[in-house]
Amino acid sequence: MNDNENPLLNPKFDIPCIGGGYKKLSNKEYSLATICTQGGWQPANGGPRALPIFQSTTWRYATSEEMGKLFDLEASGYFYTRLQNPTDDVVANKIADLEGGVAGVLTASGQAASFFSIFNIASAGDHVISSASIYGGTLNLFAVTLKKLGIEVEFVDQDLPEEEYDKYFRPNTKCVFGETLTNPNVKVLDIEKFARIAHKHGVPLIVDNTFPTPINCRPIEFGCDIVIHSTTKYLDGHACATGGIVIDSGNFDWDKHADKFPGLTTPDESYHGLTYTKAFGKLAYTIKLVAQLMRDIGAQQGPMNAFLLNHGLETLHLRMPRHSENAQKVAEFLESRPEVEWINYPGLKSSPDYELAKKYLPNGCSGVIAFRVKGGRKEASEFIDRFRFIGVETHVAENRTIVLHPASHTHRQLTDEQLEAAGIPVGLIRLSVGLEDVNDIIADLKQAFENK
Ligand SMILES: *Cc1c(COP(=O)(O)O)cnc(C)c1O
């Protein structure tokens, strides 16, 4: 199948009422700013300028034969929004263009994206290697829920020398997983190192690129095979719409490691014996994800959310540099305060990941800072209570400056000792620096330190 026939690259937008379609703007040809504003939706002559919300669960056809071909993956077109929706496809492919991937699939949340990215290539009896420094929700998904499904995830220190990882690989290892910038400790993943390790053992590297966004880092350029995001964070930015995305680079050669990935390289009985790699080439992983996982599990992003997400994308290239500049100044301010016991922001020279950040995040390290104030649980939560406009929210990476204190919020059931063991000491505060005037943000922090 060539690119022009691929349903995911060229969704069938010649349905008369639609009035436009997805247009690929490659990040090799256009700058990210241009893709953010002009990418994705392209109106037909006289078509609507804004991306329409196709708020329809289903699509009508004239003959049963036409619809039958869609079910057999023989023709491209929409039939049920649990699998595909044009609003979603436009936005997913626009984000894939920003990342430099071949195709993307939107999911209902970042959690669904992490789950699908792995479950698409691993099943009961398989083994996955993940960095231990990952978002708490992902950690639960991997350590508890995937385990119940029979997939064993082994957690490794992401800062070991390259040679030390060979011992973790087994014949049933199916992928390696990490976060470009970890949540909440903002450590930087050495993507090239992990890509080399994964490829040496014939498996893909999956990277969660939520915090950098493609504006600050594009993991595919460093050898990563599959990129996921919680679009709930910066990509939306406005804290309006929960969502996620799975993007395939199209670079991993599944057929070369066919014995490890039978789901992609041997016939799928639920599609009359079609083999994804043979039928769809570089789109095999993406089409399997839509045709099997979306069909069977759902978790499609609603088209209204995709529309809101697209609004965020149109200014992503303007917002990310401001988050990074503001966070750099706030981090320097925090580092200068006697009340701060420890701070990590990869843009600070004192950060152990400063050199990695120069390589992977040359344009800025985004807006998230981890720091600890002196004292315990009480001192940290009293400090937070003194903020004037900085909000206490279970969220991160959005337009407004917000703060979360894991010991008082997300991890409040844990004892001080348990928190220490989990690498989240009682005093740890995650500050997500927003787009306000940086002087106002610093003034709010300063008065919270001083008005004891
Ligand atoms: C929030 C987050 C997730 C989970 O995303 P949801 O949209 O909340 O499901 C995954 N990874 C990272 C790095 C996150 O910050």
Side-chain angles (χ1 to χ4, degrees):
M1 177 179 282
N2 71 35
D3 276 359
N4 292 331
E5 292 164 11
N6 273 317
L8 286 153
L9 287 184
N10 294 285
K12 193 165 177 167
F13 286 121
D14 51 345
I15 303 168
C17 65
I18 285 188
Y22 159 74
K23 181 164 180 236
K24 184 175 182 67
L25 297 188
S26 161
N27 75 1
K28 300 208 172 57
E29 197 180 343
Y30 289 97
S31 84
L32 298 181
T34 305
I35 301 174
C36 282
T37 49
Q38 292 277 351
W41 175 251
Q42 184 68 30
N45 188 25
R49 176 58 276 195
L51 167 66
I53 307 165
F54 292 100
Q55 196 69 51
S56 182
T57 58
T58 190
W59 309 87
R60 186 188 157 179
Y61 288 90
T63 66
S64 88
E65 193 192 338
E66 277 176 88
M67 188 121 96
K69 283 191 172 150
L70 298 176
F71 272 95
D72 283 351
L73 303 180
E74 279 176 13
S76 63
Y78 295 95
F79 54 99
Y80 194 50
T81 287
R82 168 155 40 80
L83 286 91
Q84 273 190 293
N85 174 285
T87 308
D88 283 35
D89 279 349
V90 166
V91 179
N93 285 303
K94 174 172 172 172
I95 301 171
D97 289 344
L98 290 168
E99 288 282 9
V102 290
V105 181
L106 292 187
T107 55
S109 67
Q111 288 298 99
S114 307
F115 174 60
F116 279 11
S117 73
I118 289 179
F119 202 58
N120 204 30
I121 48 173
S123 50
D126 286 340
H127 174 254
V128 168
I129 296 171
S130 170
S131 164
S133 303
I134 51 171
Y135 168 64
T138 314
L139 198 74
N140 257 327
L141 166 67
F142 287 3
V144 182
T145 301
L146 286 187
K147 193 173 172 191
K148 285 185 192 157
L149 293 171
I151 299 170
E152 184 188 345
V153 182
E154 188 164 1
F155 298 99
V156 300
D157 178 346
Q158 67 179 43
D159 294 323
L160 300 177
E162 198 162 331
E163 332 61 85
E164 292 195 30
Y165 292 93
D166 289 341
K167 62 174 180 278
Y168 295 109
F169 283 86
R170 305 179 193 168
N172 61 343
T173 303
K174 296 299 159 82
C175 60
V176 177
F177 186 97
E179 290 176 4
T180 318
L181 255 180
T182 70
N183 179 1
N185 284 326
V186 285
K187 291 170 62 60
V188 181
L189 186 77
D190 189 343
I191 301 171
E192 279 185 349
K193 175 178 88 173
F194 277 96
R196 276 193 304 272
I197 297 164
H199 296 159
K200 181 178 168 196
H201 293 275
V203 299
L205 173 65
I206 304 176
V207 167
D208 179 339
N209 197 37
T210 298
F211 278 5
T213 81
I215 302 300
N216 283 343
C217 180
R218 287 165 306 286
I220 291 171
E221 292 172 5
F222 298 102
C224 163
D225 303 287
I226 292 150
V227 176
I228 64 151
H229 285 272
S230 164
T231 63
T232 317
K233 314 294 169 52
Y234 289 124
L235 296 186
D236 165 16
H238 300 74
C240 292
T242 311
I245 186 168
V246 182
I247 298 157
D248 184 13
S249 68
N251 293 336
F252 192 81
D253 189 345
W254 308 103
D255 280 325
K256 193 170 162 201
H257 308 283
D259 54 321
K260 282 191 194 291
F261 304 104
L264 285 159
T265 60
T266 61
D268 178 357
E269 292 317 321
S270 66
Y271 283 108
H272 308 305
L274 170 150
T275 300
Y276 291 99
T277 49
K278 279 210 187 72
F280 303 112
K282 280 183 180 300
L283 289 172
Y285 176 91
T286 306
I287 294 187
K288 177 176 182 288
L289 197 154
V290 172
Q292 283 183 350
L293 299 188
M294 282 299 180
R295 178 195 63 187
D296 297 350
I297 301 173
Q300 179 68 267
Q301 191 169 125
M304 180 73 199
N305 275 13
F307 169 83
L308 293 168
L309 168 57
N310 188 54
H311 268 229
L313 292 175
E314 290 190 3
T315 56
L316 184 68
H317 60 296
L318 297 175
R319 292 185 287 112
M320 291 316 295
R322 181 68 172 262
H323 281 294
S324 302
E325 284 159 29
N326 280 1
Q328 183 70 33
K329 289 185 187 145
V330 169
E332 286 165 12
F333 166 76
L334 289 170
E335 193 170 39
S336 75
R337 291 299 302 195
E339 299 88 345
V340 173
E341 183 176 275
W342 171 91
I343 175 165
N344 190 31
Y345 182 70
L348 290 177
K349 287 208 177 73
S350 61
S351 166
D353 290 342
Y354 181 71
E355 291 302 322
L356 283 175
K358 275 207 290 199
K359 173 171 178 178
Y360 292 108
L361 302 155
N363 298 326
C365 298
S366 304
V368 184
I369 300 172
F371 68 102
R372 277 204 304 265
V373 289
K374 288 182 182 152
R377 218 178 269 256
K378 182 166 162 286
E379 286 73 10
S381 72
E382 284 174 359
F383 168 65
I384 285 170
D385 288 347
R386 291 193 291 270
F387 288 142
R388 292 195 172 132
F389 71 81
I390 297 176
V392 182
E393 290 177 25
T394 307
H395 200 219
V396 64
E398 61 137 297
N399 294 351
R400 289 151 291 249
T401 298
I402 54 176
V403 72
L404 186 93
H405 177 220
S408 302
H409 309 133
T410 45
H411 296 69
R412 65 180 293 132
Q413 307 84 346
L414 303 190
T415 64
D416 291 8
E417 294 70 36
Q418 285 171 322
L419 283 166
E420 198 71 42
I424 307 166
V426 279
L428 186 85
I429 292 170
R430 185 184 70 192
L431 182 70
S432 175
V433 178
L435 303 174
E436 304 90 346
D437 187 312
V438 71
N439 295 317
D440 289 339
I441 302 170
I442 291 174
D444 201 3
L445 288 161
K446 189 161 181 282
Q447 65 77 27
F449 282 126
E450 290 170 359
N451 292 339
K452 278 192 206 156

